[in-house]
């Protein structure tokens, strides 16, 4: 099961703060827990698609690109993950060299062969 296997993948932890977008609500999580595997996978993909669509309108959302890249990694879509990490990497050029997200993006790209 691809979704179950995703639990073994590393997750990029993002700082929380005023610019962070919330994840699924408690109701979303509860609804997903009652779904069969196929419905749950479709539910997750729809959430990822909504995030990708939002980022088209808000391309400067660094944390959003990192969340999207991580989601694609979990969904075992490395090409899309690399693309999202590359967008995050470009935005990180505007951040201080000490920003820990730089190392997280580099490590993720190395893991993905990007």
């Amino acid at each position: 099961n691809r979704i179950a296997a995703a639990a073994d993948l590393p997750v990029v932890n993002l700082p929380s703060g005023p610019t962070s977008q919330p994840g699924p609500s408690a109701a979303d999580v509860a609804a997903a827990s009652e779904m069969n595997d196929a419905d749950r996978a479709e539910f997750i993909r729809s959430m990822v698609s909504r995030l990708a669509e939002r980022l088209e309108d808000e391309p400067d959302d660094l944390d959003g690109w990192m969340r999207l890249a991580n989601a694609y990694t979990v969904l075992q879509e490395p090409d899309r993950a690399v693309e999202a990490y590359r967008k995050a990497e470009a935005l990180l050029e505007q951040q201080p060299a000490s920003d820990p997200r730089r190392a997280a993006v580099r490590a993720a790209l190395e893991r993905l062969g990007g």
Side-chain angles (χ1 to χ4, degrees), residues 68-92:
L68 183 63
N70 188 62
Y72 283 142
T73 301
V74 169
L75 292 173
Q76 299 180 359
E77 296 184 21
D79 292 341
R80 287 182 167 176
V82 167
E83 183 181 330
Y85 277 125
R86 290 280 180 224
K87 291 188 180 190
E89 185 178 51
L91 292 171
L92 277 164

Side-chain angles (χ1 to χ4, degrees), residues 21-100:
Q21 295 293 321
S25 69
D28 290 338
V29 172
S33 70
E34 295 175 10
M35 295 177 185
N36 63 41
D37 287 346
D39 289 343
R40 187 175 306 111
E42 182 57 34
F43 175 74
I44 290 167
R45 287 196 178 279
S46 72
M47 289 177 32
V48 172
S49 291
R50 284 194 305 270
L51 176 57
E53 289 170 10
R54 185 182 63 75
L55 288 171
E56 288 179 23
D57 294 331
E58 300 174 26
D60 294 334
D61 181 356
L62 171 58
D63 290 336
W65 286 112
M66 292 184 71
R67 277 193 301 280
L68 183 63
N70 188 62
Y72 283 142
T73 301
V74 169
L75 292 173
Q76 299 180 359
E77 296 184 21
D79 292 341
R80 287 182 167 176
V82 167
E83 183 181 330
Y85 277 125
R86 290 280 180 224
K87 291 188 180 190
E89 185 178 51
L91 292 171
L92 277 164
E93 291 177 10
Q94 303 166 14
Q95 301 302 316
S98 62
D99 191 315

